[in-house]
Every structure is written in structure tokens, then in C-alpha cells.
Amino acid sequence: MREYQQKTRPGAELQPTRQAHKSRRAGLMGALVALTLLALNACGGRATPASDLRIELRAADTIHTGAATLTIHVTNAAGQPMEDAAVTVEGNMTHAGMAPVLATGQGGADGLYSVPFDWTMAGDWVVTVKVTLPDGRQAQADFPVGVTEP
């Protein structure tokens, strides 16, 4: 519904008020946000969480800055190794301002995935491991890691 105001000069056309412009703009913005969310939901895929997966991060007892290799062990609830999964790792420092370190796992024999990883700075990290099985099921686990200088 439009709101109108009359101009002060005689014979002038009626014009929408500022409030009407704001209301229309808010409606358009709401519609745009709704369409954006709908599009993102449609493009996002329909991954099914795999609550029966167990993800284990294996690393040296003492982790130092620099190049390293992480081992990710993926099994089902019965302890059977899960092979042929896509494994990605994202490392983030617990303080703001650092770019995440991203890496991809290789292998998969016996549920073991080798991930080359570069610890860029000493401090507290959170390593997020994401596993996607060939059937589309996904699982994710976060691991706190302390990194020191060599």
C-alpha cells in the first residue's frame, strides 16, 4: 500500500512519502535476502551427516613450527577403516588475524590419510578435519593443538 503526500503547489502530482520509499526499499531488501538464502540452500548440496564415523588426528607428541605430516585415521563405529574418503584439514590459530592453513589428505589405505601441513606460527591452534565418504555422508571433528618453536 502506498502512502502519498500532496505537494504544496496547486495542481502538482501526488508523490510517495519518504516513509513509503523506505518501506518499499525494506520490502525489496527482504525479498533479495530471501532469494539469496534460497539460492545458497539450493547450491549447498544435501550432505548427510555421518554420526557413526570416528576421526582421529595423529601427530608427534611435540609439534613445532614448520613443515609436518599429520595422519588422520577414519573408522566407523565398529572400528572398521573407512577408505576412499575425501579428507581436508583446516588449521586456525585461536587468535584473530592469521590466515587459515588448508591441506588435503592423501592415501586412505586402512583408513589412514597422510596430510602435509605447515605450522606457520607457534601458539594455540584448532585443527578442523572434514571427511566426505564416497556416498556423500560427511563428518567433522575439531582438535586443539599447541605448537612451539623448534
Side-chain angles (χ1 to χ4, degrees), residues 1-145:
M1 182 171 143
R2 283 188 164 176
E3 296 177 28
Y4 291 93
Q5 69 180 9
Q6 188 171 6
K7 286 193 169 184
T8 54
R9 16 184 211 134
E13 293 180 20
L14 296 177
Q15 297 293 321
T17 64
R18 260 194 190 160
Q19 184 176 4
H21 280 295
K22 287 182 181 179
S23 178
R24 187 172 3 159
R25 190 177 317 141
L28 289 173
M29 289 302 292
L32 181 60
V33 168
L35 287 173
T36 302
L37 291 174
L38 182 63
L40 288 174
N41 188 34
C43 296
R46 301 279 188 258
T48 304
S51 60
D52 64 329
L53 288 184
R54 305 292 180 253
I55 301 171
E56 181 182 346
L57 171 65
R58 297 179 181 175
D61 290 334
T62 306
I63 299 174
H64 299 289
T65 56
T69 299
L70 305 177
T71 301
I72 309 298
H73 190 212
V74 182
T75 58
N76 64 16
Q80 298 297 322
M82 301 302 294
E83 300 177 349
D84 300 324
V87 175
T88 59
V89 174
E90 179 177 330
N92 287 288
M93 295 204 69
T94 58
H95 62 79
M98 294 296 295
V101 176
L102 305 172
T104 303
Q106 303 162 352
D110 296 324
L112 296 171
Y113 298 84
S114 177
V115 182
F117 199 81
D118 187 25
W119 301 103
T120 56
M121 180 181 233
D124 294 324
W125 290 70
V126 174
V127 175
T128 301
V129 178
K130 295 178 185 176
V131 175
T132 303
L133 297 176
D135 65 6
R137 291 184 299 148
Q138 295 180 335
Q140 176 177 315
D142 294 324
F143 301 93
V145 176

